Amino acid sequence: MPLRLEIVTPEAKIYSEDVDFVTLPAVEGEMGIFPRHIPLMTQVKAGEVAARKGGQEFFLAVGEGFVQVTGERVAILTDMAIRSENIDEQKVEEARNRAEARLKEKLSNDEQATVSAALAHSLAQLHVKRRTRR
Amino acid sequence: MPSTRDIRRRIKSVKNTAQITKAMQMVASAKMRKAQQAALSGRPYAQLMNEVLAAAVAGAGDFNHPLMESREVRKRAIILVSTDKGLCGGLNTNLLREAARFSKDTTVYICAGRKGAQFVARSKRELAAEFSYKDIPAFAEARAISKFAQDLFLQGKADRVDVLYTNFVSTLVQKPETRPLLPVGRIQKLEAGVGGHNVAEELDSATQEYTFEPGAGDVLGELLPHYVNYQVFQYLQEAKASEQSARMVAMKNATDNAKQLIKDLTLEYNKLRQANITKELLEITTAAMAMG
């Protein structure tokens, strides 16, 4: 029995495929999900989603969001999601440096939050990209 | 009496204007289609959000969140969604007429789009922040605006936040409307796509029992800001579609008017040319008769 992994952002549906196994970065720690999992809802942190399908693994970087798990479906709602092959490492590296530089400046609280979120996005992307190359 | 050369010159300039307005009309209609499509592609997200919300609301039971706190309204904030550019008919005029209705002393404005910010500055009202958004609004842009509004609300600098935007009723009709954003009252169903979302529907009840991690209340608490962000995102999309269709109609009228003007001017030009020829002929024949 396959598990359908769906990743959606407000702008588009990024990923929708049948897979065998999914790991995702939940707030309470990494979580692995097989088909027939009990219905579950939780939050995800910025990080890496890995999906296994017939011995092959796919990686995606996701931002903060929510996940809904039913027996046959894992649906991730997030602000950002990008497949590892679409990540432009150089650009992300730049974005990361920019975010880190800005964090060193004096920032008001809400600016700090925005920049931290941007940094988390970049780090998640870099992590996924470098992992797939190895 | 203008000379034939003057009229020719005017015809040329009107023709150029017509070309420009025609081009703008086509650009606007292409952008409008794109904006509508972009709004539709958010549908899976809205659906999923509805499911998660329904389950979380059902699971959380009696739930309170700082964003839901309703207070006596001493200061209110308006998120004014206008356009950056003009040439879109009466869109901004109608919108800003609504915006001018709020009391000057108790209202702060959060502006998305330059026209609104200019209005606020010109009429000496209080501007809290100015944001911009692109032709196809990005969620990050909506999030920034929404975050700012939520902070104002949570810090007590505003007791109520409304959104004033132009609702897309149809290609020909766009209506400025004020919708409440904060405090969050009843959680309503989210809808994606433009086409005038009217009165929001009730949330469907949850169909399945879920386990929550850490707890339903926590998840709902985290979900609420996202719910508000998404609403702002929808308002931006709606406003953008309105802007493009208003521009399309305005530019079509301008092109039609220019064409009519060219027709009239050409007629006048030909009349004048005929008159000149007749005059010249008369002169020649009179001269010939005088000689003979």
Side-chain angles (χ1 to χ4, degrees):
Chain A
M1 184 176 153
L3 187 66
R4 175 156 283 258
L5 174 63
E6 281 184 353
I7 301 181
V8 292
T9 68
E11 280 125 357
K13 198 173 217 165
I14 303 289
Y15 191 93
S16 175
E17 249 169 78
D18 286 335
V19 296
D20 302 325
F21 175 66
V22 179
T23 61
L24 44 90
V27 274
E28 313 228 295
E30 195 89 350
M31 198 180 259
I33 293 155
F34 278 110
R36 296 180 205 279
H37 195 284
I38 54 161
L40 172 82
M41 279 197 194
T42 185
Q43 296 159 239
V44 289
K45 299 184 293 191
E48 167 190 69
V49 170
R52 199 187 301 149
K53 183 182 179 186
Q56 263 193 310
E57 280 206 306
F58 302 91
F59 297 95
L60 294 105
V62 296
E64 286 182 358
F66 300 89
V67 57
Q68 177 204 37
V69 180
T70 61
E72 65 270 15
R73 189 170 78 144
V74 176
I76 302 176
L77 275 163
T78 175
D79 297 354
M80 178 214 70
I82 185 163
R83 302 172 77 134
S84 67
E85 57 265 33
N86 297 339
I87 299 173
D88 181 342
E89 193 172 343
Q90 213 180 344
K91 261 196 193 149
V92 178
E93 184 78 49
E94 276 166 31
R96 172 200 172 175
N97 291 338
R98 241 189 346 257
E100 277 178 347
R102 288 214 51 197
L103 275 184
K104 288 198 189 103
E105 296 164 20
K106 268 205 181 133
L107 291 176
S108 61
N109 271 343
D110 41 313
E111 273 180 320
Q112 174 116 25
T114 328
V115 177
S116 305
L119 183 61
H121 283 183
S122 323
L123 286 176
Q125 291 189 24
L126 281 177
H127 180 67
V128 169
K129 187 70 186 179
R130 295 199 167 136
R131 146 104 155 251
T132 40
R133 204 160 357 112
R134 247 181 282 142
Chain B
M1 189 78 185
S3 73
T4 47
R5 200 162 45 153
D6 288 340
I7 298 183
R8 242 190 353 247
R9 222 179 259 153
R10 263 197 82 193
I11 291 179
K12 218 165 144 192
S13 105
V14 173
K15 251 187 198 153
N16 281 338
T17 312
Q19 249 166 15
I20 293 170
T21 54
K22 179 90 197 190
M24 283 185 76
Q25 177 198 334
M26 292 198 302
V27 169
S29 68
K31 278 186 178 167
M32 186 187 81
R33 260 199 307 278
K34 256 197 227 154
Q36 277 174 316
Q37 241 155 32
L40 283 180
S41 61
R43 192 161 273 175
Y45 187 89
Q47 257 165 20
L48 206 56
M49 190 75 155
N50 284 332
E51 283 175 37
V52 177
L53 272 171
V57 168
D62 210 8
F63 175 76
N64 258 316
H65 189 275
L67 286 177
M68 295 174 102
E69 184 195 351
S70 80
R71 301 184 287 245
E72 193 199 336
V73 182
R74 266 166 296 155
K75 197 91 178 168
R76 69 192 292 189
I78 302 285
I79 300 180
L80 181 58
V81 188
S82 63
T83 68
D84 277 340
K85 294 181 195 127
L87 294 178
C88 45
L91 188 94
N92 282 320
T93 322
N94 292 339
L95 185 78
L96 297 178
R97 192 183 309 128
E98 288 295 314
R101 282 201 191 154
F102 300 106
S103 151
K104 238 177 190 176
D105 309 316
T106 57
T107 316
V108 292
Y109 290 84
I110 303 166
C111 291
R114 264 215 323 270
K115 290 281 169 191
Q118 281 165 1
F119 156 79
V120 171
R122 199 169 54 228
S123 59
K124 304 219 163 45
R125 287 158 196 272
E126 202 179 329
L127 179 66
E130 185 189 342
F131 293 91
S132 65
Y133 61 110
K134 287 195 287 270
D135 274 347
I136 293 173
F139 189 67
E141 290 158 345
R143 195 174 47 202
I145 297 169
S146 163
K147 179 83 180 24
F148 187 83
Q150 287 175 32
D151 284 347
L152 273 191
F153 182 77
L154 292 177
Q155 287 159 12
K157 286 179 191 159
D159 302 306
R160 182 194 163 114
V161 182
D162 294 277
V163 182
L164 175 56
Y165 74 113
T166 314
N167 195 10
F168 181 92
V169 181
S170 72
T171 321
L172 293 172
V173 184
Q174 296 89 32
K175 226 172 124 208
E177 259 168 49
T178 313
R179 294 277 166 83
L181 186 72
L182 294 172
V184 178
R186 283 186 72 82
I187 294 176
Q188 282 161 328
K189 202 168 174 178
L190 292 169
E191 262 178 82
V194 292
H197 43 291
N198 297 318
V199 185
E201 284 175 56
E202 290 287 309
L203 208 56
D204 295 331
S205 53
T207 44
Q208 208 166 4
E209 290 267 317
Y210 288 92
T211 320
F212 283 91
E213 217 169 286
D218 300 296
V219 173
L220 188 54
E222 284 295 319
L223 206 52
L224 217 51
H226 284 262
Y227 170 75
V228 176
N229 292 351
Y230 192 77
Q231 279 187 321
V232 173
F233 182 56
Q234 273 186 320
Y235 290 133
L236 288 189
Q237 286 182 323
E238 193 95 8
K240 206 69 205 184
S242 300
E243 177 191 342
Q244 298 300 2
S245 60
R247 178 163 301 135
M248 190 176 85
V249 173
M251 287 301 113
K252 187 173 174 343
N253 288 339
T255 313
D256 292 349
N257 288 343
K259 281 198 180 133
Q260 186 59 46
L261 200 56
I262 291 172
K263 225 167 128 190
D264 294 348
L265 282 172
T266 314
L267 185 65
E268 201 183 323
Y269 170 73
N270 285 337
K271 271 188 188 159
L272 195 62
R273 195 171 51 93
Q274 282 282 333
N276 280 346
I277 292 169
T278 319
K279 208 167 75 192
E280 257 170 61
L281 276 177
L282 275 174
E283 271 164 20
I284 293 168
T285 38
T286 2
M289 269 158 79
M291 298 276 278

